[in-house]
């Protein structure tokens, strides 16, 4: 995209977002940039967030955390809240299932925490998508909970465990793509309670753990 086109797109997006400015102020909310991965377009996202904040609109980014440090820092400076995915503690498993090590994600997580300790911003929420046999194992959740408690317990406001379900399978079929987890059943309430127990086992604050998402009905 040429510079003139990028600027035009930026102005149009800012104008669209500001249509709901009164709603943001009344509700205490704001604008979240998600994706895909917003940090892959950090050169566009940074001025977008910057412009919104200049208009008094709160901003958030929803990211997997895997991005070069300069890109992450550029967007971080204009974000009031970071929602960061943290999937797997074991770097080998992380690379197996995502194609990348988790080292960069942990470095960026540490950068958010450092900024929050100095300035009080951005706020930080961690989200873990639970996949049976992969991220939803007791060993993984215990290890993640131990790390979060030891290194980031003072700044992470919320750790959310998001229940696995197969609703997205239809999208894969429409795109003619295969999905590794297509045959996995949705998680039950017992599964989610086991995940909660494992996550709390290393001392994580129960008040800062949220379990969300659709679960299977009993007996199905």
């Amino acid at each position: 995209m040429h510079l003139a086109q990028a600027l035009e797109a930026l102005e149009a997006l800012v104008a669209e977002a500001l249509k709901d400015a009164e709603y943001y102020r009344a509700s205490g909310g704001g604008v979240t940039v998600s994706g895909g991965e917003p940090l892959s377009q950090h050169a566009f996202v940074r001025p977008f967030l910057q412009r919104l904040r200049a208009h008094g609109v709160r901003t958030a980014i929803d990211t997997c955390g895997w991005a070069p440090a300069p890109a992450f820092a550029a967007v971080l400076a204009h974000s009031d809240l970071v929602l960061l995915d943290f999937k797997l503690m074991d770097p080998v498993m992380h690379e197996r299932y995502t194609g990348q090590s988790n080292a960069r994600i942990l470095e960026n997580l540490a950068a958010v925490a450092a900024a929050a300790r100095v300035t009080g911003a951005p706020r930080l929420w961690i989200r873990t998508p639970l996949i049976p046999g992969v991220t939803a194992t007791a060993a993984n959740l215990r290890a993640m909970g131990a790390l979060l408690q030891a290194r980031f317990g003072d700044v992470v406001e919320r750790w959310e465990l998001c229940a696995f379900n197969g609703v997205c399978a239809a999208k894969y079929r429409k795109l003619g793509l295969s999905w590794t987890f297509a045959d996995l059943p949705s998680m039950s309430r017992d599964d989610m309670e086991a995940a909660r127990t494992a996550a709390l086992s290393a001392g994580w604050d129960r008040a800062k753990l949220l379990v969300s998402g659709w679960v299977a009905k009993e007996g199905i």
Side-chain angles (χ1 to χ4, degrees), residues 53-217:
R53 292 182 85 189
H55 284 276
V57 176
R58 294 177 181 176
T59 60
I61 56 170
D62 181 358
T63 174
C64 73
W66 197 88
F72 199 92
V75 174
L76 184 66
H78 304 289
S79 304
D80 296 299
L81 172 65
V82 173
L83 298 89
L84 194 147
D85 279 6
F86 184 22
K87 302 178 179 71
L88 283 161
M89 191 68 231
D90 186 301
V92 175
M93 285 189 66
H94 197 282
E95 185 162 1
R96 174 185 173 188
Y97 285 103
T98 72
Q100 301 291 341
S101 166
N102 60 7
R104 181 176 288 181
I105 295 169
L106 292 173
E107 289 169 2
N108 286 330
L109 174 55
V112 179
R117 291 184 182 114
V118 172
T119 66
R123 297 162 59 201
L124 176 59
W125 294 356
I126 301 296
R127 296 198 297 184
T128 301
L130 296 179
I131 301 174
V134 184
T135 64
T137 67
N140 182 54
L141 293 171
R142 280 196 299 266
M144 291 173 62
L147 176 78
L148 291 174
Q149 177 62 27
R151 294 184 56 189
F152 309 112
D154 59 324
V155 291
V156 174
E157 293 185 2
R158 184 167 88 180
W159 180 17
E160 181 178 1
L161 306 180
C162 308
F164 171 86
N165 65 68
V167 173
C168 69
K171 294 182 180 179
Y172 279 84
R173 288 194 296 270
K174 288 180 180 179
L175 293 170
L177 299 174
S178 61
W179 183 35
T180 303
F181 307 112
D183 296 326
L184 287 182
S186 297
M187 300 182 74
S188 68
R189 286 185 173 84
D190 287 345
D191 293 332
M192 295 304 293
E193 186 56 36
R196 184 202 301 271
T197 299
L200 293 171
S201 64
W204 185 256
D205 186 349
R206 181 179 297 271
K208 296 197 297 183
L209 186 70
L210 176 67
V211 176
S212 67
W214 184 89
V215 297
K217 292 182 179 180

